[in-house]
């Protein structure tokens, strides 16, 4: 793959050195301002959650129901994207703060943190876009690359993608179960059961909280609060799906074979992250609400660097792409998601 862009081993090594140096400069500059930023986001997230719950006690008035639901949705998005995703990547391990330790953090979603750290932090970020190794390519249910042979079930690509978007937290929870391997006979349900049991237990606790306990607290407004919680979860799911798919599957993102990546150098790993990811152009609100995964390229290059630093790293990464003749895939949310939707539909056809 590197040869297509005219890069030999020495040039890949030089690219790796440049990116290593950028990371080292950024890490050396980390300090109290970075912790203060995250704590502001945590306060905002908790305030929105509390305000949303309070508003639902007046949920019989439509403006309060809408405001409460919106506040809950934004709170859940911030918890998952800018706080949970980034803390669980180990971006704040350097603070030595127990509350910001990756292994200690548990987020407000169906997937247990330990399972996500395995399927995402390890498998996805190690084997990004390597066919047969990175199970995030299609999540085991979608055909997202022409290199995957077409099968009759892929006719349901648009339907499966819609359901995955609406219930994304459960798709992520089931990801490590590897149902596609069970159906193929490569794994037994008994082998998958410990992972599935843990995921079902976490999902049950989340469901009890969102669909029983919180609605009960609002007494006669039980159904109103139940609907608000379901809607907030659906908004969070669809938003997370949109951001993640825009970062991995727009036109121009590349996939790799295991042979191409055999014995790869650090420079080639960087090269693969650059070509397998895509960014979203936008303002500070988009970056915040996406957990700075609007800078997906920088995130894949530097997954353990605090994500709010990606915006300042991005110009140097883009300049390196230009210097080494590599594409820097970026575009608006509308344009990137448009190509994702077209790909989902197109690859569902024979």
């Amino acid at each position: 793959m590197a040869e297509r862009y005219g890069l030999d081993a020495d040039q890949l090594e030089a690219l790796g050195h440049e990116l290593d140096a950028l990371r080292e400069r950024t890490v050396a500059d980390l300090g109290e301002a970075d912790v203060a930023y995250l704590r502001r986001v945590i306060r905002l997230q908790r305030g929105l959650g509390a305000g949303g719950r309070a508003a639902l006690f007046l949920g019989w008035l439509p403006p309060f129901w809408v405001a409460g639901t919106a506040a809950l949705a934004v709170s859940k998005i911030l918890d998952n994207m800018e706080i949970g995703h980034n803390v669980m990547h180990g971006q704040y391990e350097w603070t030595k703060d127990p509350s910001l330790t990756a292994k200690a953090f548990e987020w407000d979603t169906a997937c247990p943190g330990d399972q996500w750290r395995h399927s995402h932090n390890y498998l996805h970020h190690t084997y990004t876009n390597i066919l047969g190794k990175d199970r995030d390519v299609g999540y085991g249910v979608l055909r997202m690359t022409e290199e995957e042979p077409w099968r009759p079930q892929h006719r349901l690509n648009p339907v499966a993608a819609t359901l995955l978007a609406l219930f994304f937290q459960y798709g992520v929870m089931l990801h490590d179960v590897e149902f596609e391997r069970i159906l193929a006979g490569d794994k037994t349900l008994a082998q998958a059961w410990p992972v599935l049991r843990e995921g079902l237990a976490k999902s049950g606790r989340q469901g009890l909280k969102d669909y029983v306990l919180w609605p009960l607290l609002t007494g006669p407004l039980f159904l109103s609060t139940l609907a608000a919680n379901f809607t907030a979860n659906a908004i969070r799911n669809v938003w997370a799906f949109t951001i993640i798919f825009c970062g991995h599957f727009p036109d121009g993102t590349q996939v790799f074979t295991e042979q191409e990546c055999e014995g790869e150098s650090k420079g080639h790993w960087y090269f693969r992250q650059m070509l397998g990811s895509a960014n979203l152009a936008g303002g500070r609100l988009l970056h915040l609400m996406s957990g700075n995964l609007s800078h997906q390229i920088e995130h894949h290059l530097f997954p353990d660097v605090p994500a709010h630093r990606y915006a300042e790293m991005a110009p140097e990464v883009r300049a390196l792409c230009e210097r080494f003749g590599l594409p820097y895939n970026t575009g608006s949310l509308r344009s990137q998601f448009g190509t994702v939707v077209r790909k989902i539909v197109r690859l569902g056809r024979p």
Side-chain angles (χ1 to χ4, degrees), residues 108-138:
D108 180 28
T109 191
C111 182
D114 283 342
Q115 291 185 17
W116 183 85
R117 283 185 283 269
H118 173 256
S119 63
H120 183 83
N121 286 13
Y122 172 62
L123 289 178
H124 174 57
H125 277 273
T126 302
Y127 304 110
T128 307
N129 284 29
I130 298 178
L131 297 173
K133 301 283 281 185
D134 181 9
R135 295 182 56 255
D136 279 25
V137 180

Side-chain angles (χ1 to χ4, degrees), residues 52-72:
R53 296 292 177 199
L56 291 177
F57 279 90
L58 296 172
W60 55 277
L61 293 170
F64 285 96
W65 189 91
V66 171
T69 302
L72 281 180

Side-chain angles (χ1 to χ4, degrees), residues 94-106:
W94 55 274
T95 67
K96 309 301 182 185
D97 184 336
S99 67
L100 300 180
T101 300
K103 289 186 177 180
F105 194 91
E106 192 59 64

Side-chain angles (χ1 to χ4, degrees), residues 217-235:
L217 286 175
T218 56
L221 296 176
F222 180 94
L223 292 179
S224 172
T225 304
L226 178 69
N229 288 348
F230 180 84
T231 303
N233 280 328
I235 292 170

Side-chain angles (χ1 to χ4, degrees), residues 98-320:
S99 67
L100 300 180
T101 300
K103 289 186 177 180
F105 194 91
E106 192 59 64
W107 52 0
D108 180 28
T109 191
C111 182
D114 283 342
Q115 291 185 17
W116 183 85
R117 283 185 283 269
H118 173 256
S119 63
H120 183 83
N121 286 13
Y122 172 62
L123 289 178
H124 174 57
H125 277 273
T126 302
Y127 304 110
T128 307
N129 284 29
I130 298 178
L131 297 173
K133 301 283 281 185
D134 181 9
R135 295 182 56 255
D136 279 25
V137 180
Y139 285 83
V141 294
L142 299 174
R143 183 177 184 238
M144 293 304 301
T145 174
E146 292 178 352
E147 284 74 8
E148 180 182 355
W150 183 86
R151 298 179 180 85
Q153 62 264 33
H154 291 139
R155 292 185 188 276
L156 297 175
N157 239 27
V159 176
T162 301
L163 292 173
L164 181 61
L166 287 170
F167 301 100
F168 193 58
Q169 64 171 327
Y170 301 110
V172 174
M173 181 273 286
L174 293 171
H175 196 36
D176 236 16
V177 178
E178 301 181 317
F179 271 114
E180 75 278 8
R181 290 188 59 206
I182 296 173
L183 293 174
D186 298 329
K187 185 176 183 178
T188 67
L189 187 58
Q191 290 172 320
W193 175 243
V195 173
L196 179 58
R197 179 179 57 201
E198 185 181 358
L200 291 174
K202 175 75 186 295
S203 299
R205 292 192 296 273
Q206 290 295 115
L208 181 66
K209 171 178 68 71
D210 281 344
Y211 303 130
V212 179
L213 297 181
W214 281 117
L216 280 174
L217 286 175
T218 56
L221 296 176
F222 180 94
L223 292 179
S224 172
T225 304
L226 178 69
N229 288 348
F230 180 84
T231 303
N233 280 328
I235 292 170
R236 180 270 315 277
N237 290 341
V238 172
W239 177 254
F241 171 93
T242 301
I243 294 299
I244 291 167
F245 270 59
C246 282
H248 294 89
F249 304 120
D251 286 349
T253 50
Q254 307 289 318
V255 292
F256 302 81
T257 65
E258 292 186 56
Q259 292 72 27
E260 287 175 312
C261 304
E262 210 169 295
E264 71 178 353
S265 64
K266 182 66 177 295
H268 189 276
W269 182 87
Y270 276 134
F271 165 82
R272 178 161 53 84
Q273 305 307 318
M274 288 171 149
L275 266 66
S277 310
N279 281 9
L280 293 170
R284 293 177 64 182
L285 181 59
L286 174 66
H287 300 325
L288 172 67
M289 293 295 289
S290 67
N292 280 281
L293 293 180
S294 47
H295 297 101
Q296 190 72 240
I297 296 170
E298 288 71 28
H299 174 59
H300 271 271
L301 294 173
F302 314 109
D304 61 347
V305 171
H308 75 105
R309 289 292 193 117
Y310 295 154
E312 67 189 54
M313 303 173 85
E316 290 195 53
V317 173
R318 188 165 194 164
L320 279 173

